[in-house]
Amino acid sequence: MKSFYLCTFYFMDIIHNIGELQRKLHSQKENGLSIGFVPTMGALHQGHISLVEKASRENDIVVVSIFVNPTQFNNPDDLQNYPRTLDADTTLLRKHKCNFVFAPDEKTIYPEPDTRIFSFGRLEEVMEGMHRPGHFTGVARVVSKLFSIVKPHKAYFGEKDFQQLAIIQNMVDQMKFDTSIVPCPIIREEDGLAMSSRNALLTPAQRNVASSIYQAMKKVEKKYNTNTINELKSYFKEAVELSPLLKVEYVEIADELTLEPIDQKLDKQHVRLFVAVHAGDVRLIDNLKINS
């Protein structure tokens, strides 16, 4: 089933079938047009739209996928509760230069169980990898499938999932995909909270205190030159957990090139703060480059 949004030079086609998408993209490539790709799990917000807009500036054709990938969820409840808003997502994308929305079902992406195991070394052993075992193999499974289907020239990922970005670049190198990975800056709400599909699951009270995550991160940045690494991590945890609605899962200060947590000061050129915080059942991640 297809729908079209037409204007003088612009269309949007919603596709659920792999073969149909590939035929249409092949025709575009035969005409010498470049393909930009934005993989998403839906529940789109302005952070996603910033990726779409960058892709549209740098490519002739933009593809956005919307697929809640079951293989990257450790918690079945998290998968079950993940927001699914396809109609609202496609309505939003009609206002931006998205040419193809690829919205497959699970059977389309996984006609058979995907048992591939990826190895990313230390990249998958720290932070998110330590707290969500198997998560990055699940990410690599779906992204590699999507890259094989779409065959984009460029693919766009937000830096909010900074570790995932490093994993995907490593996967591209391992599998020799002819796709350039384009990192895009974190988009934040007015109070600093990083935009995330999971924000929609926060209660009003949780949403009200969630802004303290970014506030505490900025204070850690300011204190970087005058405090030890352990003092900085303790400060973040104490500042966030002043609210009984928030619980810090981890806070790490790491080399952003290797993602190795540090326990002694490094040159600030490549230092980044990484955090994960629970607001009830909602898990929020964020990161911040240390520039002070």
Side-chain angles (χ1 to χ4, degrees):
M1 180 178 180
K2 300 178 292 182
S3 63
F4 293 85
Y5 180 73
L6 297 171
C7 60
T8 308
F9 298 107
Y10 173 60
F11 66 92
M12 189 176 94
D13 194 349
I14 302 172
I15 300 177
H16 306 280
N17 177 273
I18 291 174
E20 181 182 359
L21 178 66
Q22 290 182 321
R23 286 191 298 272
K24 290 181 179 292
L25 290 180
H26 179 73
S27 174
Q28 302 294 337
K29 291 176 183 176
E30 286 284 289
N31 290 327
L33 301 182
S34 60
I35 309 296
F37 181 40
V38 181
T40 82
M41 293 204 299
L44 303 183
H45 50 68
Q46 190 55 42
H48 296 109
I49 295 304
S50 71
L51 307 184
V52 175
E53 291 174 341
K54 185 170 178 61
S56 71
R57 290 194 298 270
E58 298 182 355
N59 302 273
D60 301 307
I61 298 294
V62 175
V63 182
V64 175
S65 65
I66 296 176
F67 176 65
V68 180
N69 175 43
T71 69
Q72 70 188 69
F73 285 83
N74 303 81
N75 183 339
D77 291 336
D78 193 17
L79 173 60
Q80 179 68 30
N81 294 330
Y82 197 88
R84 291 163 172 82
T85 57
L86 181 60
D87 289 345
D89 293 342
T90 53
T91 297
L92 180 60
L93 288 170
R94 290 185 192 283
K95 301 175 184 177
H96 301 274
K97 189 182 175 297
C98 170
N99 302 106
F100 296 100
V101 176
F102 180 46
D105 60 18
E106 185 175 341
K107 194 67 175 175
T108 298
I109 297 297
Y110 298 112
E112 298 177 353
D114 189 343
T115 58
R116 292 176 298 162
I117 301 297
F118 290 79
S119 177
F120 299 108
R122 283 289 291 167
L123 286 179
E124 65 179 339
E125 295 173 359
V126 297
M127 295 179 295
E128 290 296 287
M130 180 183 297
H131 291 269
R132 303 180 68 187
H135 168 69
F136 288 124
T137 279
V139 169
R141 285 172 179 167
V142 74
V143 174
S144 63
K145 281 178 174 284
L146 291 170
F147 281 5
S148 295
I149 292 166
V150 177
K151 297 181 172 60
H153 297 93
K154 294 181 179 180
Y156 296 78
F157 294 86
E159 289 186 339
K160 185 178 77 69
D161 297 293
F162 195 91
Q163 189 173 3
Q164 174 178 280
L165 190 57
I167 291 285
I168 289 170
Q169 183 62 69
N170 188 288
M171 181 205 72
V172 165
D173 295 341
Q174 285 188 37
M175 301 187 71
K176 298 183 174 15
F177 281 113
D178 189 20
T179 298
S180 297
I181 303 302
V182 182
C184 301
I186 298 171
I187 304 299
R188 299 185 179 277
E189 304 284 358
E190 288 187 8
D191 62 3
L193 180 65
M195 288 190 178
S196 169
S197 300
R198 286 184 169 85
N199 292 354
L201 302 175
L202 296 170
T203 66
Q206 290 168 341
R207 176 61 187 85
N208 187 50
V209 297
S211 60
S212 67
I213 298 170
Y214 182 66
Q215 294 165 9
M217 291 172 70
K218 291 296 289 182
K219 288 179 180 176
V220 166
E221 181 187 22
K222 289 180 181 178
K223 292 174 176 287
Y224 184 81
N225 292 326
T226 56
N227 290 262
T228 67
I229 296 296
N230 284 338
E231 287 171 344
L232 294 170
K233 291 163 67 173
S234 294
Y235 172 80
F236 176 84
K237 187 174 188 299
E238 290 168 4
V240 170
E241 291 183 351
L242 283 174
S243 169
L245 298 179
L246 300 177
K247 179 70 174 176
V248 174
E249 182 177 284
Y250 69 75
V251 49
E252 293 288 358
I253 299 174
D255 182 329
E256 68 176 5
L257 299 181
T258 65
L259 299 188
E260 282 293 327
I262 61 176
D263 54 18
Q264 294 182 339
K265 296 291 182 62
L266 294 180
D267 185 298
K268 292 193 296 294
Q269 183 179 359
H270 300 302
V271 175
R272 191 171 286 261
L273 172 65
F274 296 87
V275 304
V277 177
H278 286 271
D281 294 330
V282 183
R283 187 174 184 273
L284 304 171
I285 65 170
D286 203 347
N287 66 84
L288 180 71
K289 186 173 179 64
I290 301 294
N291 288 314
S292 65

